[in-house]
């Protein structure tokens, strides 16, 4: 009997190994799309697109959009939305810039700059905590729709930032900030390292922690999550706090890239964050989505954007194209869901007829 059981396990082992290597349809589709895009732009611009300069440009430009996308990803997983991510990133970067220009001596060493960068980050985290708690409390306790709540907080944060800065940019960042925005470590851009570390942290957080599982549960069915004993009010507040905290990192990278801080930077990214999340396989209604899919979709979108820039395509046309792509992706998801639902219904009906005597 034991020998027979061992033989069965040996037979099943290759099958289990193959199953563990299975790639989901979203990853496969995005990988093929990335390959087609690279080949297409390489043929359209021989010697110009497929080069070290192009891919370094992608590596430097991707992180700021990627960090904002992660900040949007957490609320969408819960079935919500955060329209205030860019305003929060800009306001926190203004606070950091004010700390540098007000308190940091012009001839400060890199060690002293690192100390004041830490102080600026802590202050920005506190500000983001306030914004996130206010947003989450309005969504959780007032019961207002996240779109309305975050639209209101976005307007308020933008107004405060423009009033305090008079709409002007604060420039002249210290060397440590410029290092974050323009330098490399072992050939890898520093902003890309920050983004990848953040993405890995968020992926582990969502997959391995209790709060991460509650976020998925809230997106699937928040009422069922509440009746299972989870304090959904606290979960919703935590969701928008985490989203706002990610905006601080995005604000730092944006400030480092532009060497200045101003309300209004990155306004065009709002649509792209939603597009990257949906294109990465996340359910817009919440409950399902993977960080890996979002990162892969970001790479695809950034490569396309860089290729269009090299072709001198108008940014206004590109923005219209991103909107059209989002509409197409949402339509395909809707019709695919309808098709799967109808197929499941037909299979259930066929099984019921087969079971009849």
């Amino acid at each position: 009997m034991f020998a027979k059981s061992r033989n069965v396990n040996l037979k099943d082992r290759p099958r289990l190994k193959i199953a563990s290597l299975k790639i989901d349809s979203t990853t496969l589709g995005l990988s093929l799309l990335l390959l087609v895009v690279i080949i297409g732009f390489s043929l359209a611009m021989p010697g110009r697109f497929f080069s070290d300069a192009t891919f370094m440009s992608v590596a430097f430009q991707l992180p700021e959009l990627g960090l904002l996308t992660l900040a949007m990803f957490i609320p969408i997983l819960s079935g919500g939305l955060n329209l205030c991510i860019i305003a929060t990133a800009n306001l926190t970067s203004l606070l950091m810039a004010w700390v540098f220009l007000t308190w940091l001596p012009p001839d400060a060493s890199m060690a002293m700059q690192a100390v004041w960068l830490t102080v600026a980050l802590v202050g920005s985290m506190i500000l983001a905590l306030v914004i996130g708690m206010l947003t989450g409390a309005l969504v959780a306790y007032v019961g207002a729709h996240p779109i309305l709540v975050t639209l209101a907080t976005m307007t308020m944060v933008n107004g405060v930032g423009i009033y305090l800065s008079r709409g002007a940019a604060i420039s002249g960042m210290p060397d440590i900030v410029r290092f974050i925005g323009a330098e490399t470590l072992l050939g890898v851009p520093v902003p890309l390292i920050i983004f990848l570390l953040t993405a890995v942290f968020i992926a582990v957080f969502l997959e391995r922690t209790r709060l991460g599982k509650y976020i998925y549960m809230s997106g699937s069915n928040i009422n069922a999550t509440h009746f299972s004993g989870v304090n959904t009010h606290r979960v919703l507040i935590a969701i928008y706090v985490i989203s706002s905290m990610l905006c601080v990192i995005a604000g730092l990278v944006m400030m480092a890239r532009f060497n200045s801080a101003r309300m209004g930077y990155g306004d065009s990214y709002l649509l792209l964050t939603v597009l990257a999340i949906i294109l990465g396989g996340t359910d817009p209604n919440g409950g399902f989505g993977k960080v890996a899919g979002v990162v892969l979709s970001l790479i695809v979108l950034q490569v396309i954007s860089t290729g269009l820039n090299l072709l001198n395509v108008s940014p206004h046309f590109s923005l219209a194209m991103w909107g059209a792509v989002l509409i197409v992706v949402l339509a395909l998801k809707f019709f695919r869901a309808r098709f799967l639902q109808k197929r499941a219904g037909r299979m259930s009906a066929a099984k019921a007829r087969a079971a009849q005597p």
Side-chain angles (χ1 to χ4, degrees):
M1 182 175 68
F2 291 105
K4 185 177 181 181
S5 175
R6 185 179 177 185
N7 290 336
V8 171
N9 289 336
L10 288 173
K11 286 181 180 179
D12 289 345
R13 192 175 299 169
R15 195 176 302 170
L16 292 173
K17 191 173 182 180
I18 294 172
S20 66
L21 297 175
K22 185 178 180 182
I23 301 175
D24 62 273
S25 58
T26 299
T27 302
L28 180 61
L30 288 172
S31 301
L32 291 175
L33 177 59
L34 180 60
L35 181 62
V36 169
V37 167
I38 292 175
I39 293 174
F41 281 130
S42 299
L43 293 175
M45 295 173 286
R48 289 183 59 203
F49 179 78
F50 200 83
S51 64
D52 292 340
T54 299
F55 290 104
M56 284 300 287
S57 175
V58 170
F60 271 108
Q61 294 177 21
L62 174 67
E64 57 199 61
L65 173 61
L67 290 165
L68 289 169
T69 302
L70 291 177
M72 180 69 83
F73 176 63
I74 302 293
I76 287 183
L77 270 185
S78 70
L81 198 69
N82 188 359
L83 300 177
C84 193
I85 54 172
I86 295 172
T88 302
N90 284 324
L91 186 62
T92 54
S93 67
L94 280 175
L95 175 59
M96 285 185 278
W98 175 80
V99 170
F100 293 139
L101 296 183
T102 305
W103 302 102
L104 184 64
D107 56 347
S109 63
M110 288 295 286
M112 183 60 67
Q113 291 180 30
V115 170
W116 280 105
L117 175 60
T118 304
V119 172
L121 282 172
V122 170
S124 297
M125 290 287 185
I126 294 172
L127 177 59
L129 176 66
V130 172
I131 296 173
M133 290 187 68
L134 174 63
T135 304
L138 289 172
V139 173
Y141 292 103
V142 177
H145 197 281
I147 291 180
L148 297 177
V149 172
T150 56
L151 180 62
T153 53
M154 177 187 70
T155 305
M156 180 186 70
V157 170
N158 269 326
V160 170
I162 293 172
Y163 171 76
L164 293 176
S165 65
R166 302 295 187 266
I170 301 178
S171 57
M173 298 298 108
D175 293 338
I176 192 169
V177 174
R178 292 196 294 270
F179 174 84
I180 292 173
E183 297 298 327
T184 62
L185 289 175
L186 301 176
V188 182
V190 175
L192 184 61
I193 294 174
I194 294 174
F195 166 65
L196 292 177
L197 290 176
T198 306
V200 170
F201 173 79
I202 294 299
V204 173
F205 164 76
L206 290 172
E207 296 290 337
R208 301 296 181 185
T209 67
R210 183 176 298 179
L211 179 57
K213 297 184 186 301
Y214 289 165
I215 291 173
Y216 278 109
M217 291 168 59
S218 298
S220 298
N221 191 324
I222 194 166
N223 291 325
T225 304
H226 173 73
F227 287 117
S228 66
V230 177
N231 190 330
T232 52
H233 292 335
R234 291 183 181 178
V235 172
L236 286 173
I237 292 175
I239 286 167
Y240 288 95
V241 167
I242 295 169
S243 177
S244 296
M245 292 295 182
L246 290 170
C247 292
V248 176
I249 307 174
L252 173 62
V253 171
M254 289 171 64
M255 178 177 64
R257 290 268 298 132
F258 297 128
N259 194 29
S260 61
R262 185 177 71 86
M263 299 303 295
Y265 281 162
D267 282 344
S268 61
Y269 287 154
L270 192 61
L271 170 65
L272 290 178
T273 60
V274 178
L275 174 58
I277 291 167
I278 304 304
L279 189 63
T282 302
D283 189 340
N285 297 315
F288 179 81
K290 300 291 183 182
V291 173
V294 174
V295 171
L296 186 55
S297 69
L298 282 166
I299 295 172
V300 173
L301 292 176
Q302 189 60 62
V303 170
I304 293 174
S305 178
T306 302
L308 293 176
N309 288 336
L310 290 174
L311 289 172
N312 295 321
V313 176
S314 169
H316 302 294
F317 173 79
S318 299
L319 189 60
M321 184 191 70
W322 297 135
V325 170
L326 180 58
I327 292 173
V328 171
V329 171
L330 289 173
L332 289 175
K333 284 182 175 290
F334 171 78
F335 288 118
R336 182 175 181 272
R338 289 289 299 271
F339 171 76
L340 293 176
Q341 186 178 9
K342 288 182 179 180
R343 188 175 70 173
R346 289 195 297 267
M347 291 177 63
S348 299
K351 289 181 179 179
R353 288 194 299 268
Q356 290 178 355

